[in-house]
Amino acid sequence: MAVLQTRRLEAKFPLRDGVVHALRGIDLDIATGEFFVLLGPSGCGKTTMLRSIAGLERPTAGDIRIDGHPIFDAENGFFVPPDQRPIAMVFQSYAIWPHMDVFENIAFPLRRGRLKMDKDAVQDRVSEVLEMLGLDALAARPVITLSGGQQQRVALARALALQPRILLMDEPLSNLDFKLQVRLRAQMRDLMHRLNLTTIHVTHNQAEALETGDRIAVMSEGRIVQIGDPQAVYHRPENEFVARFIGDMNIFPAVYQGGNGDTARVETAFGQLDAQLTSREGFAAGATCMLGIRPEDIEIDGDIPAEAANLVTGTVASSSYVGEGYVHTVESCGQPVRVRRHHREAINRGDSIRLHFPPAETVVVAPSDGLDMEGLEGGLAGEEAARAS
Amino acid sequence: MRARLLGIGWVYLLAISGLALVCVTVFGNILTSFADQDVDGQYTFANYVELLTQKHLYSVTGRTALLGVGTVFWMFVFAFPFTWLLARTDFRYRTGLFTLLTAKLAIPGFITAMSYVWLFNPTSGLVNTLFGMTKFTGGALFDVYQVSWICFLQGIVLVPGGVFMMLPAFRNLDASLEEAAWVSGVSKYYTVFRIVLPLLGPSMVAVCIFYFVLGVEMFDFVAIIGMPGDVLVLWIYDAIAETDGPPNLGFAGAAGVVLFVICGVAILFYARFLKQARKYAVVGGKVRASAPQPLGRWRWAAYFWVGVWVMVSIGIPVVTIVWVALVPYFQPPSIAALDTINLDSFRDALAWIGEPLRHTLILMAGSIVVAASLATSVTWVVTRSRNGTARWADNIVFLAPAVPTIVTGVAFQFIGIEMYHWIPLFGTIWLVAIAMGTRMLAYCTRTMNAASLQIHFELDEAAYVSGVSMLETFRRIFLPLMAPAIFYSALMVGMLAARDLTLPLVMNTGNSEVVATLIFNLQTNGEQNAAAAVAFYMIFVLSILALVARRMTGMQEIRGHDVARRNGLLSRLSGWVAELARPARKRRLEYGS
């Protein structure tokens, strides 16, 4: 039974010069206890989606249901205001009320909000979540004296105390330093699973998404372009956008020649290659498509099994040391191919080299001409910035 | 129970009442201008005919504009270098200069005017008498009854406001823009002319236009000096204070409409330049202030110029008032006069002051309640409701300063008479308080908008998604976080209401004398010594209020969770004087990161 259902959700915002189409027909079903991630570059509509579920934005079309009860229906103008929805939310800025102490931040919504709990119940509930998140010692502290990580936990405690049907999180880790982010990812996922709490987590950080999500919806320009578990999204991208957005992938133009539905044979600049067909739509023979392979999946001389097909030869154009290994750029048939190796040895520039694209790791996807490839740069740049800080 | 029924509607209701009051001042004025002087309830064009056939209409309108320009000139001549000193140099006494600028707010304009008349009027001015050169002895040394003097005096009293309004623009200028020029090999001197000044240009022009409006509508100086400097404000006042016969509200209304049009056009230009200034604001990110530039030998010039201003705007008025209050009759300093010094005037003043003081306190309290409660609601609607009404409300409030104070007075007098059957407020201090509150509403809203925009919207949203209703969020989140700004605004409204002469004078029907009008009347009746003593009391009390305001904001700058943490006092004071405080971008409260 889906806790949350959205159908044909659309959102448009009027601007001075035109209209922003933030959501273009989103259908979602999220199951009880699921940790669901909305992932995409900035401006893809993921935050609008989250805020629409919260009731902080009003979509222009479609409907939203929680536990089968409508909370929004554009057709008959039905709209449940945010304070009446069985949700809780953690904000990017944490939105901790600066004039209240830690205890009061958690107690205020319980006492004055929808639940209208009495004093003793509030006391019990607050103590419970404070203990759960290791904040008991900080209860009487003014929140402005807390560190970023502590504030983040207070925000989470405030949300959990409400025992919502759905917990919404808008980039809750992005204001923390990188190491703390990494530590909290796992903790957060484990906690939500232990509480069996349905969680919708918005992020532009793919590492965070892959690590925390039971399922990931990749969004671009107001659409969900792929939805699936982290392995599927990483290893079997369904289109060029996802292939480029998640991780690092070599992408080459190709022409579809034939296949059996799961595998495909394509013509590329390197010659004929075999690959997995991950695109949902099939191709007609002669259609343009894209061949993708991750730099770490490419095998080089020495590792290549005998009688392997899918071989490509080239010359090493450059080698960069990246800490855990080397990234080589191999020039082959006029195309640069990035190869990532976890070995310490460098390869000399100008050396001739044989590359193997294992067919099981090579994918064929549809080109995404229409999608916002520039936005994608923004997403990656954001990631870089997060790492740098 | 009823509060729950209407919910957040209460806040809208208050906000709409506030906007309605602002509209009353505009439409009330227009209505007044068509009111028939002889037949009650009849409307006519006669007032406009009378106005347009006045012999001196054009010269008076021209002189009014000249007054605005002259005022801006003198304001700018002091305010621009002072702002530069405060924002960009290592001037040693920056705090001191700041305190003096704040303290100047405690000396009402009309008291400054009064002291200069006592010193420099051609017949009995103390300075002229001292040198034996008066009108009676073949030509006065100084003659204060000149438009140029009014310009100069209005200019110097507006300096603090001008500085507070320009400072944010100076402070928000990103230092990296200059540094980019320096590292590109452009000299520091040339950078100022090609980078700094052009970037500050639009905000400077906006400030000047705003002060043109203030210069044109200001009544304090015209009331006391203005008899030869015939300008529109004086026409309006003369029509209301007709010596023979009832007040000619209709003519005052028509002249008010002309003044309103002049100010309205200026405010529209002001809005344009403000928009231009905002385009230059660096979008997002934190602004780094430029390092203070060493003054070197120029510091002597700085001391001199600051000294000149302190002397003419604070020293001369205060010393004059103390002297006149100490001597038994109006006379220049001399050895003989020193012997006659006594405190009689201060003691006598206490006998005069009782009833006016009571009225002043009512006026202060009333305008605080009206302005603070309405402005808080308007601010919520404008900055936080994300509602179609917001833009409307914002525009109405933005245009409100275009309505001159004296015109506000005329409009409320008219409405007060028309409504007398239903609400008998006409002639009472309460009507003056409502008019004063309305007049302050625009300034209050500016201050509060600036503060509100610095409170992260997610703080409200966090309450909504936690199941807290909008009204409850308004009460428990918005109001507490706004409390410092509201308290500060209330303090300033109280102070400005106490020192305002215009509204109590225009709306005075004999039953609503306040301390300001008491001083004015004593001065007009030739009781200078009593006027000086009362004025001294007034400055004393206002100084305490000003210093409290200064201290309070200083305190908040230190406390971490202040709503207006970054610019503290600056953003609020500037909000007072008007709009540059309307932040070009939404500064957000960020903690933790």
Side-chain angles (χ1 to χ4, degrees):
Chain A
M1 166 79 192
V3 183
L4 180 86
Q5 263 184 344
T6 71
R7 289 293 173 265
R8 305 173 309 280
L9 215 55
E10 304 246 349
K12 291 178 193 172
F13 300 113
L15 285 186
R16 196 170 298 162
D17 43 356
V19 173
V20 173
H21 213 138
L23 300 177
R24 299 170 192 254
I26 303 276
D27 292 326
L28 265 188
D29 288 273
I30 295 174
T32 311
E34 196 173 8
F35 198 114
F36 191 87
V37 178
L38 288 170
L39 173 68
S42 49
C44 72
K46 56 189 191 301
T47 296
T48 306
M49 182 67 198
L50 195 77
R51 290 171 61 85
S52 300
I53 299 168
L56 296 172
E57 306 280 356
R58 207 175 169 138
T60 34
D63 60 79
I64 307 175
R65 284 161 191 275
I66 292 180
D67 288 325
H69 304 295
I71 54 166
F72 170 72
D73 191 342
E75 223 156 84
N76 47 33
F78 184 71
F79 178 83
V80 176
D83 53 307
Q84 305 296 329
R85 298 185 181 193
I87 50 153
M89 185 161 169
V90 178
F91 290 84
Q92 186 171 12
S93 67
Y94 317 134
I96 300 291
W97 298 307
H99 58 306
M100 300 176 178
D101 62 21
V102 171
F103 183 93
E104 198 53 29
N105 257 283
I106 302 167
F108 167 65
L110 299 176
R111 221 169 16 222
R112 295 277 164 180
R114 189 178 63 249
L115 300 177
K116 303 250 176 325
M117 289 165 64
D118 65 44
K119 217 176 157 189
D120 295 338
V122 168
Q123 178 71 45
D124 292 348
R125 181 76 66 86
V126 176
S127 310
E128 191 187 327
V129 291
L130 285 177
E131 197 181 335
M132 182 159 62
L133 292 169
L135 290 166
D136 7 13
L138 304 177
R141 281 270 289 276
V143 290
I144 46 162
T145 63
L146 301 181
S147 70
Q150 288 168 330
Q151 290 190 15
Q152 200 269 347
R153 272 187 288 159
V154 173
L156 191 58
R158 180 172 69 191
L160 292 179
L162 290 162
Q163 301 186 343
R165 283 296 290 154
I166 305 173
L167 174 66
L168 308 171
M169 297 202 282
D170 185 8
E171 311 247 7
L173 300 179
S174 65
N175 278 345
L176 301 174
D177 68 66
F178 184 63
K179 288 206 163 153
L180 191 57
Q181 280 188 29
V182 174
R183 211 171 69 214
L184 286 182
R185 282 175 197 162
Q187 283 181 11
M188 214 166 59
R189 185 199 50 205
D190 293 346
L191 180 65
M192 302 315 164
H193 280 159
R194 207 169 72 225
L195 298 171
N196 195 30
L197 182 57
T198 312
T199 307
I200 303 178
H201 178 181
V202 158
T203 183
H204 67 271
N205 183 325
Q206 38 165 305
E208 194 175 304
L210 293 170
E211 200 176 328
T212 57
D214 294 327
R215 266 200 309 160
I216 298 172
V218 183
M219 290 186 70
S220 173
E221 295 194 331
R223 291 196 182 86
I224 292 180
V225 289
Q226 184 169 353
I227 189 163
D229 61 36
Q231 287 81 359
V233 170
Y234 190 81
H235 288 293
R236 300 182 63 81
E238 288 174 5
N239 50 56
E240 188 189 344
F241 179 85
V242 176
R244 285 189 192 274
F245 182 64
I246 309 271
D248 186 12
M249 195 176 253
N250 292 295
I251 307 262
F252 308 106
V255 175
Y256 186 79
Q257 292 197 311
N260 66 3
D262 283 338
T263 60
R265 171 158 294 181
V266 293
E267 181 67 39
T268 68
F270 317 113
Q272 266 193 359
L273 294 174
D274 287 323
Q276 302 289 316
L277 181 64
T278 52
S279 179
R280 277 212 209 159
E281 317 94 82
F283 294 100
T288 311
C289 57
M290 289 289 174
L291 179 93
I293 179 148
R294 298 203 178 272
E296 69 266 27
D297 289 334
I298 298 177
E299 294 173 321
I300 62 170
D301 283 327
D303 300 338
I304 302 177
E307 294 166 33
N310 273 14
L311 293 176
V312 171
T313 49
T315 14
V316 176
S318 69
S319 274
S320 324
Y321 181 60
V322 292
E324 71 262 34
Y326 277 91
V327 172
H328 312 289
T329 304
V330 177
E331 193 80 27
S332 172
C333 311
Q335 303 258 15
V337 183
R338 283 187 314 287
V339 181
R340 185 183 276 269
R341 303 291 297 164
H342 284 263
H343 298 298
R344 296 258 172 126
E345 69 275 15
I347 306 175
N348 290 333
R349 237 177 95 177
D351 281 4
S352 178
I353 195 170
R354 242 169 18 118
L355 304 176
H356 176 222
F357 292 5
E361 311 298 341
T362 313
V363 296
V364 168
V365 295
S368 309
D369 307 320
L371 287 174
D372 172 23
M373 290 298 171
E374 281 165 35
L376 183 156
E377 303 294 323
L380 291 179
E383 170 89 350
E384 296 288 305
R387 276 171 195 279
S389 64
Chain B
M1 223 40 233
R2 293 197 44 201
R4 204 156 295 160
L5 274 180
L6 254 182
I8 199 67
W10 286 108
V11 177
Y12 279 99
L13 205 66
L14 276 177
I16 290 168
S17 326
L19 299 176
L21 279 176
V22 173
C23 292
V24 160
T25 60
V26 178
F27 295 117
N29 179 239
I30 294 172
L31 219 56
T32 313
S33 69
F34 288 109
D36 195 314
Q37 179 65 10
D38 305 315
V39 192
D40 195 32
Q42 287 287 318
Y43 292 95
T44 165
F45 282 102
N47 300 315
Y48 284 97
V49 175
E50 189 187 345
L51 180 74
L52 292 174
T53 50
Q54 291 284 323
K55 223 174 21 191
H56 303 297
L57 177 66
Y58 297 107
S59 65
V60 163
T61 310
R63 197 177 297 125
T64 301
L66 189 70
L67 183 63
V69 173
T71 303
V72 167
F73 171 80
W74 284 110
M75 182 279 293
F76 197 78
V77 158
F78 288 101
F80 182 77
F82 289 1
T83 315
W84 192 278
L85 285 178
L86 288 173
R88 303 183 53 92
T89 69
D90 64 348
F91 185 61
R92 244 178 96 185
Y93 304 105
R94 272 179 295 184
T95 335
L97 176 56
F98 212 95
T99 308
L100 284 171
L101 288 167
T102 315
K104 174 64 187 159
L105 295 177
I107 308 175
F110 71 93
I111 291 183
T112 308
M114 205 165 71
S115 65
Y116 273 85
V117 167
W118 290 346
L119 290 177
F120 298 127
N121 86 57
T123 50
S124 62
L126 295 178
V127 174
N128 291 329
T129 324
L130 192 63
F131 291 100
M133 295 175 78
T134 65
K135 227 175 180 177
F136 307 119
T137 61
L141 187 60
F142 294 104
D143 181 1
V144 77
Y145 294 129
Q146 312 267 348
V147 178
S148 52
W149 270 95
I150 301 181
C151 290
F152 172 71
L153 293 173
Q154 291 198 150
I156 59 167
V157 302
L158 292 177
V159 167
V163 172
F164 296 146
M165 214 165 143
M166 285 191 240
L167 256 179
F170 274 67
R171 294 246 160 112
N172 289 340
L173 185 70
D174 194 342
S176 57
L177 296 174
E178 282 170 77
E179 288 162 359
W182 298 342
V183 296
S184 309
V186 181
S187 77
K188 287 195 173 186
Y189 184 74
Y190 201 62
T191 303
V192 166
F193 282 93
R194 293 306 300 264
I195 307 288
V196 178
L197 289 181
L199 282 173
L200 292 175
S203 351
M204 299 299 107
V205 176
V207 171
C208 286
I209 296 176
F210 191 81
Y211 276 84
F212 171 83
V213 172
L214 285 192
V216 161
E217 67 129 355
M218 205 173 185
F219 183 57
D220 289 46
F221 292 86
V222 173
I224 289 178
I225 306 175
M227 310 313 165
D230 208 1
V231 288
L232 276 173
V233 198
L234 202 59
W235 274 18
I236 298 173
Y237 179 68
D238 286 345
I240 305 165
E242 285 278 359
T243 38
D244 48 345
N248 189 350
L249 278 181
F251 182 79
V257 167
V258 174
L259 194 58
F260 172 61
V261 168
I262 295 176
C263 294
V265 169
I267 286 284
L268 289 179
F269 274 103
Y270 168 64
R272 283 188 69 138
F273 278 99
L274 213 57
K275 215 167 140 189
Q276 182 70 33
R278 262 180 236 149
K279 273 189 203 155
Y280 287 165
V282 181
V283 181
K286 282 187 181 129
V287 172
R288 199 161 46 81
S290 59
Q293 300 293 306
L295 275 174
R297 283 209 197 127
W298 282 96
R299 71 179 179 277
W300 296 108
Y303 295 149
F304 172 76
W305 204 229
V306 171
V308 167
W309 180 76
V310 170
M311 197 182 73
V312 294
S313 72
I314 299 176
I316 290 180
V318 171
V319 169
T320 309
I321 276 165
V322 171
W323 172 257
V324 173
L326 284 175
V327 291
Y329 58 92
F330 197 67
Q331 56 181 321
S334 63
I335 303 291
L338 278 175
D339 283 341
T340 66
I341 281 179
N342 62 62
L343 294 175
D344 288 355
S345 298
F346 288 105
R347 204 188 51 226
D348 295 345
L350 293 177
W352 298 97
I353 216 168
E355 190 69 3
L357 183 63
R358 199 174 69 85
H359 283 146
T360 301
L361 292 177
I362 294 175
L363 177 61
M364 288 167 76
S367 24
I368 286 174
V369 169
V370 171
S373 64
L374 298 184
T376 311
S377 312
V378 170
T379 290
W380 187 87
V381 170
V382 167
T383 59
R384 303 188 95 78
S385 72
R386 295 203 308 165
N387 185 304
T389 11
R391 260 189 97 84
W392 260 88
D394 201 24
N395 286 336
I396 293 177
V397 172
F398 188 84
L399 289 175
V403 187
T405 311
I406 197 161
V407 172
T408 306
V410 174
F412 272 93
Q413 270 318 67
F414 181 75
I415 301 277
I417 295 170
E418 297 295 298
M419 304 267 286
Y420 193 74
H421 283 295
W422 300 281
I423 315 165
L425 284 177
F426 178 76
T428 67
I429 191 70
W430 297 101
L431 188 64
V432 186
I434 294 173
M436 185 79 76
T438 309
R439 181 71 195 139
M440 303 286 172
L441 186 62
Y443 300 139
C444 251
T445 309
R446 286 288 158 247
T447 311
M448 291 192 194
N449 283 359
S452 170
L453 285 174
Q454 292 178 50
I455 301 173
H456 207 306
F457 291 98
E458 290 187 349
L459 292 176
D460 295 18
E461 293 180 344
Y464 301 154
V465 296
S466 305
V468 182
S469 71
M470 288 179 101
L471 183 63
E472 197 65 19
T473 306
F474 177 83
R475 281 170 51 192
R476 311 257 167 190
I477 308 289
F478 183 70
L479 283 187
L481 289 175
M482 285 290 286
I486 296 172
F487 189 67
Y488 178 82
S489 300
L491 203 64
M492 289 303 274
V493 168
M495 196 164 123
L496 294 181
R499 48 170 269 177
D500 185 62
L501 173 70
T502 315
L503 282 180
L505 196 61
V506 172
M507 299 179 75
N508 186 13
T509 50
N511 314 319
S512 52
E513 189 168 59
V514 293
V515 177
T517 45
L518 170 69
I519 298 171
F520 180 79
N521 290 335
L522 286 171
Q523 143 74 9
T524 322
N525 297 336
E527 310 214 32
Q528 287 99 339
N529 310 88
V534 180
F536 181 82
Y537 283 132
M538 188 172 196
I539 292 174
F540 183 74
V541 174
L542 288 177
S543 308
I544 293 171
L545 284 182
L547 290 178
V548 168
R550 168 98 173 91
R551 239 191 107 89
M552 208 189 85
T553 42
M555 233 157 58
Q556 275 150 15
E557 273 171 295
I558 297 160
R559 273 200 340 225
H561 67 272
D562 176 33
V563 285
R565 177 164 72 159
R566 247 193 57 210
N567 276 335
L569 178 71
L570 291 184
S571 73
R572 270 176 252 167
L573 277 182
S574 59
W576 268 92
V577 199
E579 351 267 344
L580 268 192
R582 218 161 110 109
R585 56 191 176 283
K586 293 164 189 171
R587 291 187 208 113
R588 300 194 148 178
L589 242 197
E590 295 168 345
Y591 13 93
S593 56

